[in-house]
Amino acid sequence: MTNSNNYCVIMGGGIGSRFWPFSRKSLPKQFLDFFGTGRSLLQQTYDRFSKIIPSENIFIVTNDLYASLIQEQLPELSPNQILLEPTRRNTAPCIAWASYHIHSLNPNANIVVAPSDHLILKEDEFLEAIGKGLKFAEKKCNLLTLGIKPNRPETGYGYIQVDEQKDGEFYKVKTFTEKPELELAKVFIESGEFYWNSGLFIWNVNCILKAFNELLPELVAKLAPGVGLYGTDKEKAFINEYFPACPNISIDFGIMEKADNVYVLMGDFGWSDLGTWGSLYDLSPKDNNQNVCLKCESLTYNSKNNIVVLPEGKLAVLQDMDGYLIAESDNVLLICKKEEEHAIRKFVNDAQIKMGEDYI
């Protein structure tokens, strides 16, 4: 029996530019089926949470651009379960709006907030952790995040340092650290005190609104005047007018790093933030020479450690290549060194400036 006070907010408005050219402005990565399962990352996220949260209590926050994509991929959602942002304003405004909206429907709501593009391999363990987190949020005004035990010094994730103080399985958070340089990441791993920040949050709606009031009053000033309009047919017009004036700030920077009531629940459920080509390479099956080939066919000669992603029905022939990313989608072919994928954002910007929107 699912608890009617439990809600889920899935954030699905990003462009996923680090996955260019596979992820495009018109069809970002959360709407793509990377592994040929027949379900996109967004659909998999919805499927996962609908097992423990009433389906009518699941909301998607996304950009106006993706309204029809959401309806196409998740036809079971009613239109009022899709919150459409008129412009991108990072995670804090997105979560604040969703919190006000849910509070108008249920002032006792407990909310899990999740990105739409994560991969979870051990679903039962994951859902068990979410269930524990929701019970924790119901009892006390604490902000909870899920921490992942790191298995490598990853520079693409944020880190959480835990305190010795704890409440059962829930550890008090000492510090949050943004994506570190490699040497610092190695120190974090060796210390045993640091966990990856999964970007998954759980809290009671009153607790998160209290945190917004205390720590981000400039954001509250823009969205609080909508109380009384949220959950009505006047909500969208209000959001269209006031949301673009919200500060562009992340929930990590705006709330989690500043609040003194943040806890973390450790998890080991085969989690991956599918944020980069490198993370996709790590998760994918490899041949004897550590090459990954997705969607297409390939012939390799004296080639190793490559990832090749071409449209279905295409053949890639590689000779004497080591550590390359070869990706083609629509009208763009990208070939670059795998370990230099951080340059992809520069490639996207350059293509946009020199060639316009057709290639983005």
Side-chain angles (χ1 to χ4, degrees):
M1 182 70 185
T2 52
N3 183 338
S4 62
N5 283 342
N6 290 345
Y7 286 73
C8 177
V9 173
I10 299 172
M11 299 181 288
I15 297 176
S17 59
R18 289 180 296 174
F19 257 120
W20 185 79
F22 209 60
S23 179
R24 305 294 273 269
K25 193 174 179 182
S26 59
L27 192 67
K29 65 175 178 179
Q30 60 269 29
F31 300 107
L32 301 174
D33 173 12
F34 277 86
F35 298 101
T37 61
R39 300 290 277 172
S40 70
L41 293 173
L42 171 70
Q43 288 170 318
Q44 287 183 39
T45 303
Y46 173 83
D47 295 345
R48 195 177 297 133
F49 284 108
S50 64
K51 290 177 181 172
I52 59 166
I53 287 173
S55 54
E56 65 274 16
N57 290 3
I58 298 176
F59 291 82
I60 315 286
V61 188
T62 189
N63 191 276
D64 270 331
L65 289 172
Y66 307 132
S68 58
L69 270 172
I70 299 274
Q71 285 162 343
E72 184 186 314
Q73 293 206 351
L74 295 173
E76 54 268 60
L77 293 183
S78 66
N80 63 10
Q81 288 174 268
I82 306 169
L83 305 182
L84 296 169
E85 301 169 333
T87 186
R88 288 188 175 83
R89 276 294 172 270
N90 216 316
T91 52
C94 145
I95 290 169
W97 174 25
S99 301
Y100 278 115
H101 180 85
I102 290 171
H103 188 270
S104 74
L105 306 174
N106 183 344
N108 300 311
N110 310 301
I111 305 172
V112 51
V113 178
S116 56
D117 54 1
H118 285 183
L119 197 66
I120 307 290
L121 300 177
K122 301 178 189 169
E123 198 164 90
D124 290 347
E125 287 95 326
F126 174 77
L127 294 177
E128 188 184 338
I130 296 293
K132 284 179 187 172
L134 286 164
K135 283 179 183 160
F136 181 72
E138 195 169 32
K139 291 179 190 145
K140 297 175 183 171
C141 182
N142 288 319
L143 308 176
L144 180 66
T145 183
L146 294 191
I148 312 295
K149 190 169 177 58
N151 56 15
R152 63 183 186 278
E154 171 65 57
T155 58
Y157 299 155
Y159 285 73
I160 300 165
Q161 184 183 21
V162 296
D163 205 318
E164 288 173 12
Q165 184 186 339
K166 64 177 194 168
D167 182 342
E169 293 179 73
F170 303 88
Y171 286 81
K172 191 101 192 278
V173 170
K174 194 186 276 185
T175 58
F176 280 89
T177 305
E178 290 299 308
K179 299 166 185 175
E181 296 294 323
L182 184 60
E183 289 311 309
L184 189 55
K186 285 178 181 170
V187 172
F188 286 174
I189 301 292
E190 284 161 16
S191 77
E193 291 180 17
F194 287 81
Y195 294 80
W196 286 337
N197 181 1
S198 69
L200 282 147
F201 308 105
I202 303 174
W203 41 55
N204 180 271
V205 68
N206 298 299
C207 191
I208 190 61
L209 288 175
K210 181 170 179 274
F212 276 119
N213 273 298
E214 290 170 2
L215 301 171
L216 281 178
E218 65 274 29
L219 173 53
V220 170
K222 299 289 183 275
L223 295 181
V227 172
L229 305 178
Y230 294 119
T232 75
D233 55 5
K234 296 190 174 75
E235 178 173 10
K236 183 61 173 140
F238 172 82
I239 284 296
N240 285 349
E241 184 175 350
Y242 290 94
F243 195 85
C246 289
N248 189 341
I249 189 167
S250 73
I251 193 76
D252 288 290
F253 187 70
I255 300 289
M256 304 303 279
E257 292 179 17
K258 296 177 179 144
D260 60 5
N261 58 336
V262 179
Y263 282 77
V264 62
L265 174 63
M266 309 310 175
D268 174 20
F269 26 72
W271 171 89
S272 175
D273 168 6
L274 207 57
T276 62
W277 285 111
S279 59
L280 183 60
Y281 174 83
D282 291 342
L283 288 161
S284 301
K286 299 165 186 68
D287 68 13
N288 293 338
N289 294 307
Q290 299 302 296
N291 295 304
V292 167
C293 180
L294 296 175
K295 294 192 172 274
C296 58
E297 299 295 332
S298 66
L299 291 170
T300 59
Y301 303 90
N302 192 35
S303 295
K304 60 186 180 183
N305 306 316
N306 301 295
I307 177 167
V308 183
V309 188
L310 305 182
E312 279 181 50
K314 289 217 170 185
L315 168 67
V317 183
L318 276 63
Q319 182 186 26
D320 297 336
M321 297 189 79
D322 182 357
Y324 276 86
L325 158 62
I326 299 114
E328 182 192 340
S329 181
D330 293 336
N331 53 0
V332 177
L333 170 65
L334 171 67
I335 303 170
C336 69
K337 289 296 282 185
K338 192 155 63 44
E339 74 258 21
E340 290 179 27
E341 66 170 313
H342 56 269
I344 290 177
R345 281 191 168 149
K346 178 185 184 306
F347 304 156
V348 172
N349 289 339
D350 288 351
Q352 194 166 17
I353 291 163
K354 292 174 182 173
M355 284 95 178
E357 296 290 325
D358 290 348
Y359 299 98
I360 305 308

